[in-house]
Amino acid sequence: MTNIVQHFQTTNETGEIRPLKIGHINDSFIVESKIKGGESYFLQKINHHIFRNVVGLQDNIRLVTDHLRVKLAAAGESDIERKVLRLVPTKTGEWFYQDAEGSYWRMYVNIENTHSYDVITAELAYKAGEAFGNFQCMLSDISHDQLIETIPNFHNMEFRLEQFREAVRNNAVGRVTDTQWMIDEIEKRAYEMCAPERLYREGKLPKRINHCDTKVNNLLFDKKDEPICIVDMDTVMPGFVMSDFGDFMRTAGNTGKEDDIDLNNVSFNMAIFKSYTKGYLESAKAFLTPIEIELLPFGARLLTYMQLTRFLADYLNGDTYYKINNPLHNLQRSKAQFKLLVSIEENYPEMEAFIAATI
Ligand code: GN1
Ligand code: MG
């Protein structure tokens, strides 16, 4: 591993290299400095079977992080190096390094003395809402053609359903019979869940630059529990704002874990929804259209449904996409997402009423 690190423009001698157990796609490591107090780094092996255009991916990240730095400076913010990720170039001036085996590596400066949450309080959810609203706001003037879709059609529900149906048709590892009940539940909701794509085609719903992976733990907090930096920029691309809103709800609003074995733990937490929505609308209301605000609760349903569809498709395909801990992991994830979806559906009228009363 030191072998890899030496190709990057680090400012100090490399100390310990620790693997991190985060994410379902890339492999991540912390590279400590040998000398105490020196800069540490966040090293990642990019899964290039999933992110096929690594050059485009890294260009996106560079463009977005540079843009955020300019925006924060213009707003008079201090401590900008802790508020935006900084890519470390290789010694030959590139934004990634490809090793002899063909693997792609990238490095960021590690933002120290920060933490993230898998479970969050309502108070922190309010701050998180403001932070993600600001993030979208700062990116709103990047023109869409400057960014590539690092994974084409990433949050396109029609496309995800096509992939899902193909997985059902192929039945590659014979898992369809046992999961037919969940396949039916997905199909029952399929037409409704594609409504945003139809609204987009009709010109009624815009796309904006989104983060597209707003899991609660992709927001770093500082020692005072203030949001400091949004991380994991792999999927920043145009999409519906309800997607980012919805993915935060799917993760932070879940009283259980994404892959909880005990489904009794899984339900939707309305207090988190209310606080996050308040914070988010405070920073995002100025640029959102009425239909975008109205559809925010739909986003919570959509992203949970989409994740269910993606996990189950992967289970049916024989676990080719997400990292798994055990052979039933994707099934377990699917069941937990389905339970959450049902709970969101039960709370949906109250969510809509809350939005209507807030605006
Ligand atoms: C993947 O690897 P990670 O945790 O950043 C996935 C997201 C899913 C998420 C589910 C590129 O994100 O879309 O929502 O797992 N990322 C990709 O936890 O597919
Ligand atoms: Mg991610």
Side-chain angles (χ1 to χ4, degrees), residues 217-280:
N217 55 16
N218 274 337
L219 173 62
L220 302 183
F221 288 85
D222 66 11
K223 278 187 163 164
K224 292 185 196 144
D225 254 351
E226 293 298 329
I228 182 124
C229 185
I230 292 171
V231 296
D232 193 359
M233 317 292 260
D234 286 331
T235 50
V236 175
M237 62 176 99
F240 306 126
V241 292
M242 77 172 95
S243 279
D244 277 5
F245 181 89
D247 222 8
F248 190 88
M249 285 301 114
R250 180 183 74 78
T251 51
N254 186 351
T255 54
K257 292 196 288 235
E258 183 180 71
D259 59 352
D260 221 305
I261 299 182
D262 185 354
L263 295 180
N264 290 322
N265 293 335
V266 177
S267 65
F268 189 61
N269 183 336
M270 280 299 289
I272 298 290
F273 166 78
K274 287 178 183 170
S275 308
Y276 184 83
T277 302
K278 261 194 184 164
Y280 176 68

Side-chain angles (χ1 to χ4, degrees), residues 28-71:
S28 307
F29 307 82
I30 292 289
V31 181
E32 303 280 6
S33 152
K34 196 159 201 171
I35 305 147
K36 207 166 175 259
E39 203 165 55
S40 60
Y41 301 94
F42 183 72
L43 177 70
Q44 281 190 310
K45 183 171 156 190
I46 302 167
N47 184 332
H48 66 275
H49 304 290
I50 289 179
F51 295 106
R52 284 160 185 266
N53 177 356
V54 177
V55 175
L57 167 74
Q58 291 302 90
D59 282 347
N60 266 20
I61 296 179
R62 201 184 37 78
L63 189 133
V64 168
T65 51
D66 282 351
H67 189 87
L68 290 170
R69 260 185 289 277
V70 170
K71 283 287 160 105

